[in-house]
Amino acid sequence: MTGHLIKQQFGPWMRSAFGWLKKFKGLRGGSLDLFGKTEERYEEREMIEDYIRELDGICAALSPANHAAALALASVPDEIRGYGHVKEKSIADAKQLREQRQHAFRNPTPQRQAAPAQVAA
């Protein structure tokens, strides 16, 4: 046993249950949003705020030398996938990737400049 949730299969009645949930879509993000009060949702909202701050920092330090590294760093959230324990692992992996890409962004390797073209005489 891993302690993780196990996928379950439900019958066609689940479609009607989702139909009922859809009617309460307007409650999302408000004080009556029961699903929005989980630890996972709080963490997701915090990650969004962290990402916005990180983008501000990237923009402030952007230069031609670190442009490619900036794009790679800004794309780290694209690596986060899944739900539950799958998402937790994905977040941990993304944090390691972010550290690597932050280092590359802050310490860009000098690009070799092409030799100037010689003019034919």
Side-chain angles (χ1 to χ4, degrees):
M1 294 231 109
T2 63
H4 298 304
L5 295 175
I6 299 171
K7 281 190 174 185
Q8 295 181 2
Q9 196 169 20
F10 295 95
W13 64 270
M14 188 53 86
R15 187 176 298 269
S16 64
F18 282 127
W20 277 100
L21 283 175
K22 181 179 170 184
K23 294 179 183 187
F24 297 101
K25 197 176 193 179
L27 298 177
R28 289 184 186 169
S31 60
L32 297 177
D33 182 7
L34 301 177
F35 298 111
K37 298 190 185 306
T38 64
E39 184 178 335
E40 188 174 18
R41 297 296 178 256
Y42 284 122
E43 184 177 342
E44 287 173 353
R45 288 190 289 271
E46 185 179 330
M47 287 188 329
I48 291 169
E49 294 299 320
D50 291 345
Y51 182 62
I52 291 169
R53 283 190 293 277
E54 185 168 49
L55 287 178
D56 289 340
I58 290 171
C59 290
L62 188 61
S63 71
N66 65 11
H67 181 264
L71 292 176
L73 179 56
S75 71
V76 168
D78 294 339
E79 304 299 321
I80 299 173
R81 301 264 193 263
Y83 296 95
H85 69 281
V86 174
K87 188 172 193 171
E88 288 174 13
K89 182 182 182 327
S90 183
I91 289 170
D93 293 345
K95 285 181 181 179
Q96 288 181 338
L97 183 61
R98 175 177 284 117
E99 289 175 12
Q100 294 168 358
R101 291 184 178 179
Q102 280 176 337
H103 179 75
F105 176 71
R106 292 184 184 127
N107 306 299
T109 56
Q111 299 276 335
R112 287 189 351 168
Q113 294 187 0
Q118 293 183 350
V119 179

